[in-house]
Amino acid sequence: MILPLIRLDRIVDWLQDRIDVRGAVSFLLGNLRNPIPKHANFLYTFGSIALFIFGLQAITGALMMVYYKPTVKEAYDSVQYIHETVPFGWLIRQIHVWGANLMVFVVFVHLVKTYFYGAYKKPREITWMFGVVLFGIVLGFGFTGYLLPWDQLAFWATTVGTEAPGSMPVIGPMTRELMRGQAEVGEATLGRFYVVHVFLLPALFVGAVSVHLFLIRYLGTSPLSRTDEPEPTKEEIGKAGGTPFWPNHVIKEGIACYVLLGVILTLAVFVPLMPGAPADPFSTPEGIKPEWYFLPMFQLLKYLPEPIAVGLPGLVGLLIFLLPLLDRSPERHPSRRPVAVWLGIGFLAVTLGLGVLGELSETTHSLFGQTYHFDSKGIPHAVADSGEAVE
C-alpha cells in the first residue's frame, strides 16, 4: 500500500515542478467551500439533476449503440432485439426513454426558476444565455432521438416536424431538405438524425455545460439583492445564514439525484414506453402527435398560418435568449418584480394550455355522463348515441 502512495506523490511532485497542481487543487477546494445564499433551496438542485440525467443518457445510449442499427431495414428490429433479447436491454432503453422526458422537464423547471428569481441579470447574463442554449440542445436530443426506433408514430411525427419549416419563405425548403437529406423522410433522414443525436449534440452539450458550470462557480449563486448594489461577500453570506456549497449543498443535490433515480427506475419498470408498429410510409395513422414537449408548438400550427406558427416559437426563443439585455430593471426579488412575474405566469399558462389542447385534440372522452369528441383545435363537441358529433 505504501509503494503506490510513494509513486503517486512522485507524480504529483513531477507535475508540481511544471504546473502549480497544488495551487490549482487548493483554489478548486476553496471555491467549492464558498457559501451559497440562504434562499438556495431544493429548486437550486435542478441544474445538477439535469447533469446527472445527462450522465445516465450517455451511459445507456452508449450501451444501446452496441446493438442499434441506424438503417431503415434494421432500426426497428434492432430496438426490438434490445428489448427482447439483450440481457437487461429493456431496462436500459426504458431508463433512456424516461430520462429523455425527465431531462426536458428538469431543464425547463431550472430555467423557470432562474427567471422568477431574476438570476439572469447582471453579471450573469452569459450564464443565462448558455442555459437557454442548453435547453435548445436538450430539445434537439428529443427531436432527433424520437425517430430512431423507426416506428409508425415517430416516422409520421418527424414527417410533420420536418415539413413545417418548409413553409418559411426563402430558407424553408432548404431547411427541410437539410433536415431530411432527401425529398421524404427516409434512409438519409435516419442517418442524419442518428449522427446528430449521438455525436454532434453531445459534443455541443458538453461544451456548453462546461462553460455554464464554470460561470456558475466563478460568479457564484445569484443573490436576491438589486443589481445596482454590491453583491454580498463570502463573509456576509455566511453571517446571513448561507451554507458552504461543499459539502452542505452537494449533499442536498445528491439526495435530489438519488430520489430522481428512484423515480426513473420506477417508471421504467412499471410504465414502460414501447415502440408502436413499424414505420409504414404508405399508411398514415390517425391522430399524429409529437412528444409532449413539442405539443404546444404543434398545436399552434392549427390556429395560425404556417409561416407565422413556425416563426413565432423561434422569435420567442430569441427574446428569451436576449432577456438579460431587454430587462433593464435592477430588481431581482420576485416580490419586487410583479410585471415580470405575471408575464412569466402568463407565458406558462399559454404554453400549458396549448399543450393540453394538443393532447385532447382528435380524441373522445366522457365527462359528467356525456361523451365529447375534441376536434383538431381542441374544441369539444357532444357526441350522440349514434357516435356522430352533435352540432
Side-chain angles (χ1 to χ4, degrees):
M1 293 295 295
I2 298 176
L3 185 59
L5 291 176
I6 295 175
R7 290 177 177 174
L8 179 60
D9 188 59
R10 288 180 178 177
I11 292 173
V12 173
D13 288 339
W14 185 86
L15 289 172
Q16 183 65 29
D17 289 339
R18 292 154 180 81
I19 307 171
D20 187 12
V21 178
R22 292 187 177 90
V25 172
S26 177
F27 172 79
L28 178 62
L29 292 176
N31 183 274
L32 290 176
R33 293 192 183 100
N34 285 343
I36 60 175
K38 184 180 179 179
H39 67 267
N41 50 32
F42 270 96
L43 284 175
Y44 283 74
T45 65
F46 274 79
S48 296
I49 292 174
L51 192 59
F52 173 73
I53 298 176
F54 177 74
L56 284 179
Q57 295 301 93
I59 294 170
T60 54
L63 291 173
M64 288 194 295
M65 284 174 63
V66 176
Y67 299 98
Y68 178 75
K69 298 177 181 179
T71 65
V72 168
K73 292 182 179 180
E74 299 175 296
Y76 184 84
D77 290 337
S78 67
V79 172
Q80 295 299 318
Y81 181 79
I82 291 171
H83 265 286
E84 300 170 1
T85 307
V86 176
F88 294 102
W90 64 272
L91 180 60
I92 291 169
R93 184 175 180 274
Q94 289 303 321
I95 291 174
H96 193 81
V97 173
W98 273 111
N101 283 276
L102 289 174
M103 190 168 183
V104 175
F105 174 76
V106 166
V107 175
F108 181 74
V109 172
H110 184 52
L111 276 175
V112 170
K113 182 273 298 180
T114 303
Y115 171 80
F116 281 108
Y117 277 86
Y120 56 87
K121 299 191 175 187
K122 181 183 177 181
R124 296 171 180 83
E125 300 96 330
I126 300 177
T127 310
W128 166 266
M129 291 176 178
F130 270 94
V132 175
V133 169
L134 284 168
F135 183 61
I137 294 173
V138 170
L139 291 179
F141 274 123
F143 183 65
T144 54
Y146 189 57
L147 178 66
L148 300 187
W150 201 248
D151 65 339
Q152 185 75 318
L153 286 179
F155 173 84
W156 286 102
T158 304
T159 299
V160 174
T162 53
E163 184 67 34
S167 63
M168 294 188 297
V170 184
I171 63 172
M174 181 177 61
T175 302
R176 178 179 55 203
E177 185 174 347
L178 179 65
M179 296 171 69
R180 292 181 174 179
Q182 56 188 80
E184 306 293 336
V185 174
E187 191 82 51
T189 315
L190 181 60
R192 291 189 179 200
F193 275 42
Y194 179 72
V195 170
V196 171
H197 188 76
V198 303
F199 294 110
L200 179 59
L201 290 179
L204 291 174
F205 186 90
V206 170
V209 82
S210 298
V211 177
H212 189 67
L213 289 174
F214 168 77
L215 291 172
I216 290 173
R217 294 312 311 153
Y218 180 77
L219 297 170
T221 303
S222 176
L224 293 177
S225 58
R226 292 166 57 97
T227 59
D228 54 3
E229 298 175 354
E231 294 208 352
T233 63
K234 293 184 291 184
E235 292 75 16
E236 291 173 338
I237 294 175
K239 291 179 181 178
T243 55
F245 177 78
W246 171 269
N248 301 55
H249 192 72
V250 172
I251 292 175
K252 190 181 295 183
E253 291 177 333
I255 294 172
C257 291
Y258 185 75
V259 171
L260 181 85
L261 179 60
V263 171
I264 291 178
L265 289 174
T266 302
L267 292 171
V269 173
F270 295 104
V271 194
L273 300 176
M274 301 297 292
D280 183 0
F282 303 104
S283 175
T284 307
E286 295 182 2
I288 302 171
K289 296 178 183 179
E291 285 289 275
W292 61 270
Y293 40 86
F294 286 122
L295 271 177
M297 289 181 281
F298 176 74
Q299 192 65 14
L300 197 62
L301 290 169
K302 302 174 183 179
Y303 304 120
L304 301 174
E306 275 200 6
I308 299 176
V310 173
L312 186 59
L315 177 61
V316 172
L318 179 62
L319 293 176
I320 292 174
F321 179 81
L322 298 175
L323 180 62
L325 307 180
L326 301 175
D327 186 356
R328 312 301 295 179
S329 170
E331 297 289 356
R332 286 196 183 101
H333 200 288
S335 64
R336 295 191 290 269
R337 300 166 53 234
V339 175
V341 167
W342 281 109
L343 283 174
I345 292 174
F347 175 79
L348 292 176
V350 170
T351 303
L352 179 62
L354 286 172
V356 171
L357 289 173
E359 182 63 30
L360 289 174
S361 65
E362 300 179 75
T363 61
T364 301
H365 299 277
S366 295
L367 300 172
F368 306 108
Q370 175 65 56
T371 302
Y372 295 92
H373 176 74
F374 293 82
D375 62 20
S376 62
K377 294 184 178 181
I379 300 174
H381 300 275
V383 178
D385 294 338
S386 62
E388 297 181 355
V390 179
E391 297 295 336

